[in-house]
Amino acid sequence: MAPTARSRTVGPRLESTAETLTHVLTVTAAMAGGLFTYGAATAIGIPAGWRLAAAVVGGILFTTYFQFISPLLGLLHSWNRTGAADRDTDAPTMISPPRLFGRLDDAICADAAERAAGDSWGLDLAHQLLGCAGEWAGAKDGTARFDLAFDSHILYRPGPVPETAFTFVSPNPYEETVITSLLHLRELLQELADRDAVDTTT
C-alpha cells in the first residue's frame, strides 16, 4: 500500500514535536530546580550571596534528574524512525491498464514530436523553423505533423533514411512530396500560393 499524503507528514511532525518537547522540558526543569532551590534557601535563611549559587546547583540537579525521563522521549523518536522506514518500503500503487495505455500514448506523441524536431537538422540546420518540438504535433502511430499555410503540412515518418522522413502534403489535390531543403519547401508553398491566387480571381 503506497503512503498517503497524511502518512508522509505525520512522521516529520511527530519527530519535530518530540524534539521541541525535549528542549522545553529541559529548560523547564532547570528553571523549576533553580526557583525551588532559591525559595528553599530563602526560607532557611541562607545569605543572599549564596542563594544564587544554590539556585544554579538546584537547576543542574533537576536537569540531571530529567535525564531519566528523556529515554521515554527517545522511544518516541525510535518509533517514528521505524514507522518512517516502514512507510518508505511500502509497495508502489499499480497503474491501472487504461491509465497506463493513456500514459503510453502521451509518451509516444511527445516522442514523435521530439524525433521530428531532432531529425529536421538535415533540412533546417539552424533550427529556425522545424527544430522546435513544440511546433510539431505527434501522433500515436509515431508520426508527427507540422502545420503550414494553405491547409498544407509537413508529415514526419521516422525511418532508416532521414532524407525521406519529411514530406510536404498538399490537400487539394492531395499530393505528397519528399522535401529536400527549406528552399524546396518554399517552392512548394509558392506553388500553392500561386494556385490559390488563381482560384480567387476566377
Side-chain angles (χ1 to χ4, degrees), residues 3-188:
T4 63
R6 178 182 175 84
S7 66
R8 288 192 296 268
T9 57
V10 168
R13 287 178 181 174
L14 285 175
E15 184 175 0
S16 176
T17 301
E19 291 178 356
T20 302
L21 185 59
T22 301
H23 295 310
V24 170
L25 291 178
T26 301
V27 174
T28 302
M31 292 178 62
L35 291 174
F36 177 82
T37 306
Y38 187 87
T42 302
I44 63 177
I46 294 178
W50 292 95
R51 293 175 190 170
L52 182 59
V56 172
V57 173
I60 293 174
L61 291 176
F62 269 67
T63 304
T64 303
Y65 174 77
F66 172 71
Q67 299 305 316
F68 290 102
I69 305 176
S70 61
L72 297 177
L73 296 175
L75 291 176
L76 178 60
H77 285 285
S78 177
W79 174 84
N80 176 62
R81 287 192 296 268
T82 303
D86 292 341
R87 290 189 293 271
D88 291 340
T89 56
D90 284 341
T93 303
M94 177 130 352
I95 303 176
S96 63
R99 184 163 176 259
L100 175 60
F101 282 111
R103 290 182 61 182
L104 278 172
D105 289 342
D106 292 341
I108 291 171
C109 292
D111 180 77
E114 289 287 349
R115 289 180 184 276
D119 289 348
S120 68
W121 65 269
L123 300 174
D124 182 14
L125 187 59
H127 296 291
Q128 294 297 306
L129 180 66
L130 306 177
C132 177
E135 302 275 346
W136 290 88
K140 291 187 290 185
D141 60 356
T143 64
R145 171 179 174 142
F146 190 98
D147 289 326
L148 299 168
F150 313 110
D151 294 327
S152 63
H153 64 273
I154 299 173
L155 180 62
Y156 168 78
R157 294 189 185 92
V161 184
E163 290 79 7
T164 62
F166 297 91
T167 56
F168 177 80
V169 180
S170 173
N172 187 24
Y174 181 88
E175 294 177 352
E176 192 169 333
T177 307
V178 175
I179 305 171
T180 57
S181 65
L182 290 181
L183 181 61
H184 184 204
L185 175 61
R186 190 181 190 285
E187 292 172 354
L188 293 170

